[in-house]
Amino acid sequence: MDQKRILVIEDEKPIAEILKYGFEKEGFEVDCAHSGSSGLVQAEEFEPNLVLLDWMLPDIAGVDVCRMLTERYNIPIIMLTARGNVEDKLYGLESGADDYITKPFDLREVVARVRTILRRFDRVQGIREEKEVVKDGLFVSEQEHMVYRDGEPVELTPKEYDLLIYFMKHPRQVFTRMVLLEQIWGYDYMGDTRTVDIHIQRLRRKTGLGEKLVTVFGVGYKYVP
Ligand code: CA
Protein backbone atom coordinates (compact mmCIF):
# COMPACT_ATOMS: atom_id res chain seq x y z
CA MET A 1 0.00 0.00 0.00
CA ASP A 2 1.17 3.49 -0.78
CA GLN A 3 2.38 5.62 2.08
CA LYS A 4 -0.38 8.11 2.87
CA ARG A 5 0.57 11.77 2.91
CA ILE A 6 -0.74 14.15 5.53
CA LEU A 7 -0.49 17.90 5.34
CA VAL A 8 -0.58 19.69 8.69
CA ILE A 9 -1.57 23.36 8.47
CA GLU A 10 -0.93 24.73 11.93
CA ASP A 11 0.82 27.96 12.94
CA GLU A 12 1.75 26.74 16.41
CA LYS A 13 4.99 25.00 15.53
CA PRO A 14 5.23 22.76 18.63
CA ILE A 15 1.78 21.33 17.83
CA ALA A 16 2.70 20.87 14.18
CA GLU A 17 5.90 19.09 15.28
CA ILE A 18 4.04 16.75 17.63
CA LEU A 19 1.65 15.81 14.81
CA LYS A 20 4.50 15.33 12.35
CA TYR A 21 6.40 13.15 14.80
CA GLY A 22 3.33 11.12 15.72
CA PHE A 23 2.21 10.44 12.16
CA GLU A 24 5.68 9.70 10.83
CA LYS A 25 6.09 7.16 13.60
CA GLU A 26 2.88 5.53 12.32
CA GLY A 27 4.27 5.31 8.79
CA PHE A 28 2.70 8.41 7.25
CA GLU A 29 4.54 10.98 5.20
CA VAL A 30 3.99 14.42 6.74
CA ASP A 31 4.46 17.96 5.53
CA CYS A 32 3.78 21.03 7.68
CA ALA A 33 2.66 24.53 6.73
CA HIS A 34 2.50 27.34 9.26
CA SER A 35 0.02 29.64 7.54
CA GLY A 36 -3.09 29.31 5.43
CA SER A 37 -1.47 30.66 2.27
CA SER A 38 1.56 28.38 2.52
CA GLY A 39 -0.83 25.52 3.29
CA LEU A 40 -2.67 26.11 0.02
CA VAL A 41 0.63 26.12 -1.89
CA GLN A 42 1.84 22.96 -0.16
CA ALA A 43 -1.48 21.23 -0.81
CA GLU A 44 -0.80 21.75 -4.51
CA GLU A 45 2.79 20.50 -4.34
CA PHE A 46 2.55 17.76 -1.73
CA GLU A 47 -0.75 16.26 -2.93
CA PRO A 48 -1.81 15.05 0.52
CA ASN A 49 -4.32 12.27 1.12
CA LEU A 50 -5.67 14.18 4.11
CA VAL A 51 -5.28 17.63 5.66
CA LEU A 52 -5.15 18.44 9.36
CA LEU A 53 -6.16 22.08 9.48
CA ASP A 54 -5.99 24.50 12.39
CA TRP A 55 -9.00 26.76 12.91
CA MET A 56 -7.00 29.83 13.95
CA LEU A 57 -4.30 30.75 11.44
CA PRO A 58 -2.42 34.07 11.22
CA ASP A 59 -3.40 34.98 7.66
CA ILE A 60 -6.49 33.17 6.38
CA ALA A 61 -9.15 31.73 8.71
CA GLY A 62 -8.94 27.94 8.85
CA VAL A 63 -12.56 27.70 7.81
CA ASP A 64 -11.80 29.65 4.62
CA VAL A 65 -8.74 27.53 3.90
CA CYS A 66 -11.02 24.52 4.33
CA ARG A 67 -13.50 25.88 1.81
CA MET A 68 -10.73 26.67 -0.70
CA LEU A 69 -9.25 23.19 -0.32
CA THR A 70 -12.59 21.43 -0.78
CA GLU A 71 -13.30 23.54 -3.86
CA ARG A 72 -10.02 22.47 -5.43
CA TYR A 73 -9.43 18.93 -4.24
CA ASN A 74 -11.32 15.83 -3.30
CA ILE A 75 -9.51 15.13 -0.01
CA PRO A 76 -10.74 14.73 3.56
CA ILE A 77 -10.03 17.54 6.00
CA ILE A 78 -9.95 17.40 9.78
CA MET A 79 -10.22 20.73 11.59
CA LEU A 80 -8.15 21.30 14.72
CA THR A 81 -9.30 23.87 17.17
CA ALA A 82 -8.88 25.04 20.73
CA ARG A 83 -12.52 26.04 20.74
CA GLY A 84 -15.18 23.70 21.98
CA ASN A 85 -17.98 25.86 20.70
CA VAL A 86 -20.74 23.85 19.05
CA GLU A 87 -21.56 26.59 16.56
CA ASP A 88 -17.95 26.69 15.39
CA LYS A 89 -18.03 22.96 15.00
CA LEU A 90 -21.14 23.08 12.83
CA TYR A 91 -19.69 25.97 10.84
CA GLY A 92 -16.50 23.98 10.29
CA LEU A 93 -18.39 20.92 9.12
CA GLU A 94 -20.57 23.02 6.82
CA SER A 95 -17.45 24.45 5.22
CA GLY A 96 -16.55 20.95 4.09
CA ALA A 97 -14.49 19.51 6.98
CA ASP A 98 -14.94 15.76 7.50
CA ASP A 99 -14.20 15.76 11.19
CA TYR A 100 -13.28 17.98 14.05
CA ILE A 101 -10.68 17.57 16.80
CA THR A 102 -10.48 19.80 19.84
CA LYS A 103 -7.13 20.86 21.27
CA PRO A 104 -5.54 19.69 23.48
CA PHE A 105 -5.78 16.34 21.75
CA ASP A 106 -4.56 12.85 22.42
CA LEU A 107 -2.16 11.98 19.58
CA ARG A 108 -3.35 8.38 19.47
CA GLU A 109 -6.91 9.57 19.07
CA VAL A 110 -5.94 11.86 16.19
CA VAL A 111 -4.13 8.98 14.46
CA ALA A 112 -7.16 6.72 14.97
CA ARG A 113 -9.56 9.33 13.56
CA VAL A 114 -7.30 9.91 10.56
CA ARG A 115 -7.13 6.19 9.82
CA THR A 116 -10.92 5.87 10.08
CA ILE A 117 -11.52 8.78 7.72
CA LEU A 118 -8.96 7.57 5.19
CA ARG A 119 -10.54 4.10 5.21
CA ARG A 120 -14.02 5.54 4.74
CA PHE A 121 -12.75 7.83 2.00
CA ASP A 122 -11.03 4.98 0.15
CA ARG A 123 -14.22 2.94 0.33
CA VAL A 124 -16.35 5.76 -1.08
CA GLN A 125 -13.80 6.33 -3.84
CA GLY A 126 -13.96 2.62 -4.66
CA ILE A 127 -17.73 2.82 -5.04
CA ARG A 128 -17.41 5.91 -7.21
CA GLU A 129 -15.02 4.17 -9.55
CA GLU A 130 -17.31 1.22 -9.88
CA LYS A 131 -20.54 3.16 -10.27
CA GLU A 132 -20.69 6.17 -12.46
CA VAL A 133 -22.65 9.02 -10.97
CA VAL A 134 -24.97 10.59 -13.50
CA LYS A 135 -26.83 13.03 -11.34
CA ASP A 136 -28.16 13.23 -7.79
CA GLY A 137 -29.21 9.78 -6.76
CA LEU A 138 -28.59 8.00 -10.07
CA PHE A 139 -25.85 5.39 -10.15
CA VAL A 140 -24.93 3.05 -12.93
CA SER A 141 -22.96 -0.07 -12.08
CA GLU A 142 -21.63 -1.68 -15.22
CA GLN A 143 -20.19 -4.44 -13.11
CA GLU A 144 -23.66 -5.36 -11.85
CA HIS A 145 -25.36 -4.27 -15.07
CA MET A 146 -27.73 -2.28 -12.88
CA VAL A 147 -28.98 1.26 -12.54
CA TYR A 148 -30.00 2.71 -9.20
CA ARG A 149 -32.15 5.76 -8.66
CA ASP A 150 -32.11 7.15 -5.13
CA GLY A 151 -30.70 3.81 -4.04
CA GLU A 152 -33.53 1.79 -5.62
CA PRO A 153 -32.92 -0.41 -8.67
CA VAL A 154 -34.40 0.93 -11.91
CA GLU A 155 -36.06 -1.73 -14.05
CA LEU A 156 -34.61 -1.29 -17.53
CA THR A 157 -34.86 -3.59 -20.51
CA PRO A 158 -31.47 -4.65 -21.94
CA LYS A 159 -31.82 -2.19 -24.82
CA GLU A 160 -32.79 0.67 -22.51
CA TYR A 161 -29.75 -0.12 -20.41
CA ASP A 162 -27.43 -0.27 -23.44
CA LEU A 163 -28.84 3.01 -24.71
CA LEU A 164 -28.30 4.72 -21.36
CA ILE A 165 -24.70 3.50 -21.14
CA TYR A 166 -24.07 4.62 -24.72
CA PHE A 167 -25.29 8.14 -23.99
CA MET A 168 -23.37 8.34 -20.74
CA LYS A 169 -20.15 7.38 -22.47
CA HIS A 170 -20.66 10.06 -25.09
CA PRO A 171 -21.99 13.09 -23.23
CA ARG A 172 -23.09 16.10 -25.33
CA GLN A 173 -22.56 14.19 -28.55
CA VAL A 174 -25.54 14.20 -30.92
CA PHE A 175 -26.60 10.88 -32.44
CA THR A 176 -29.08 10.34 -35.22
CA ARG A 177 -31.76 7.70 -34.75
CA MET A 178 -30.09 5.62 -37.46
CA VAL A 179 -26.74 5.65 -35.68
CA LEU A 180 -28.40 4.70 -32.40
CA LEU A 181 -30.25 1.87 -34.11
CA GLU A 182 -27.00 0.59 -35.57
CA GLN A 183 -25.08 0.95 -32.34
CA ILE A 184 -27.63 -0.49 -29.95
CA TRP A 185 -29.81 -2.77 -32.07
CA GLY A 186 -27.27 -3.72 -34.71
CA TYR A 187 -27.02 -3.25 -38.45
CA ASP A 188 -29.40 -6.04 -39.28
CA TYR A 189 -32.20 -4.76 -37.06
CA MET A 190 -35.40 -4.53 -39.09
CA GLY A 191 -37.38 -2.13 -36.92
CA ASP A 192 -37.72 1.56 -37.68
CA THR A 193 -36.38 4.65 -35.99
CA ARG A 194 -39.52 5.11 -33.89
CA THR A 195 -38.11 2.30 -31.75
CA VAL A 196 -35.43 4.75 -30.66
CA ASP A 197 -38.01 7.42 -29.75
CA ILE A 198 -39.99 4.98 -27.65
CA HIS A 199 -36.89 3.81 -25.80
CA ILE A 200 -35.75 7.37 -25.15
CA GLN A 201 -39.16 8.27 -23.72
CA ARG A 202 -39.06 5.28 -21.38
CA LEU A 203 -35.48 6.04 -20.33
CA ARG A 204 -36.38 9.63 -19.53
CA ARG A 205 -39.24 8.52 -17.33
CA LYS A 206 -37.61 5.55 -15.61
CA THR A 207 -34.27 7.15 -14.84
CA GLY A 208 -35.60 10.60 -14.01
CA LEU A 209 -33.08 12.02 -16.49
CA GLY A 210 -36.00 13.66 -18.29
CA GLU A 211 -34.88 16.40 -20.62
CA LYS A 212 -31.20 15.71 -19.97
CA LEU A 213 -31.76 13.28 -22.80
CA VAL A 214 -32.23 16.12 -25.24
CA THR A 215 -34.16 15.96 -28.49
CA VAL A 216 -32.14 17.69 -31.19
CA PHE A 217 -34.83 18.57 -33.71
CA GLY A 218 -34.22 17.27 -37.17
CA VAL A 219 -31.16 15.34 -36.01
CA GLY A 220 -31.59 12.98 -33.08
CA TYR A 221 -30.66 12.89 -29.44
CA LYS A 222 -27.87 13.83 -27.07
CA TYR A 223 -27.23 13.40 -23.39
CA VAL A 224 -26.35 16.54 -21.44
CA PRO A 225 -25.26 15.66 -17.89
CA1 CA B 1 -3.44 28.41 15.53
Side-chain angles (χ1 to χ4, degrees):
M1 203 176 99
D2 285 348
Q3 199 180 20
K4 296 282 188 186
R5 292 179 304 280
I6 298 194
L7 175 61
V8 177
I9 307 177
E10 163 66 88
D11 61 309
E12 287 167 81
K13 290 182 184 166
I15 293 178
E17 285 307 312
I18 287 168
L19 289 166
K20 185 175 166 64
Y21 166 80
F23 277 96
E24 282 179 347
K25 212 175 78 180
E26 294 291 329
F28 292 87
E29 195 181 332
V30 183
D31 197 7
C32 295
H34 303 299
S35 68
S37 50
S38 61
L40 290 168
V41 171
Q42 271 161 265
E44 184 67 36
E45 290 168 0
F46 185 54
E47 297 181 345
N49 298 102
L50 181 143
V51 177
L52 285 168
L53 174 63
D54 184 30
W55 181 275
M56 298 280 280
L57 292 166
D59 52 349
I60 312 170
V63 72
D64 291 326
V65 175
C66 181
R67 197 172 33 74
M68 288 183 239
L69 287 173
T70 52
E71 277 168 8
R72 289 179 203 176
Y73 314 104
N74 184 27
I75 43 170
I77 297 168
I78 299 180
M79 298 288 298
L80 298 169
T81 181
R83 303 179 186 192
N85 192 308
V86 175
E87 280 173 26
D88 285 351
K89 179 170 176 169
L90 291 176
Y91 186 38
L93 293 175
E94 270 173 21
S95 70
D98 292 82
D99 202 356
Y100 203 91
I101 288 170
T102 309
K103 291 190 272 188
F105 50 76
D106 179 322
L107 191 54
R108 284 166 304 178
E109 192 202 331
V110 180
V111 172
R113 299 266 280 273
V114 164
R115 285 196 195 284
T116 302
I117 286 183
L118 284 174
R119 261 200 308 273
R120 192 171 72 202
F121 195 76
D122 282 347
R123 199 162 57 230
V124 171
Q125 290 304 102
I127 291 167
R128 279 198 189 129
E129 279 165 22
E130 184 186 318
K131 297 181 178 182
E132 193 169 348
V133 180
V134 179
K135 56 168 261 181
D136 288 351
L138 191 63
F139 290 92
V140 174
S141 170
E142 287 196 71
Q143 202 178 322
E144 292 176 65
H145 216 265
M146 285 290 288
V147 179
Y148 297 90
R149 183 183 178 186
D150 298 326
E152 296 293 320
V154 179
E155 301 292 335
L156 295 179
T157 66
K159 292 297 179 210
E160 288 165 356
Y161 176 86
D162 291 345
L163 196 57
L164 177 64
I165 296 290
Y166 193 72
F167 275 114
M168 282 174 45
K169 288 190 171 166
H170 306 91
R172 285 175 283 274
Q173 201 174 323
V174 183
F175 297 102
T176 65
R177 290 169 179 81
M178 275 313 294
V179 166
L180 291 170
L181 268 185
E182 285 168 7
Q183 292 296 323
I184 308 301
W185 281 266
Y187 287 95
D188 52 357
Y189 179 71
M190 299 303 285
D192 66 38
T193 52
R194 272 175 303 177
T195 306
V196 176
D197 299 329
I198 292 163
H199 278 75
I200 294 276
Q201 283 162 26
R202 287 200 211 124
L203 259 188
R204 282 178 176 150
R205 182 168 39 81
K206 289 184 182 179
T207 60
L209 283 177
E211 296 308 309
K212 283 170 187 277
L213 288 171
V214 181
T215 304
V216 182
F217 288 103
V219 187
Y221 294 101
K222 66 177 174 179
Y223 165 56
V224 181

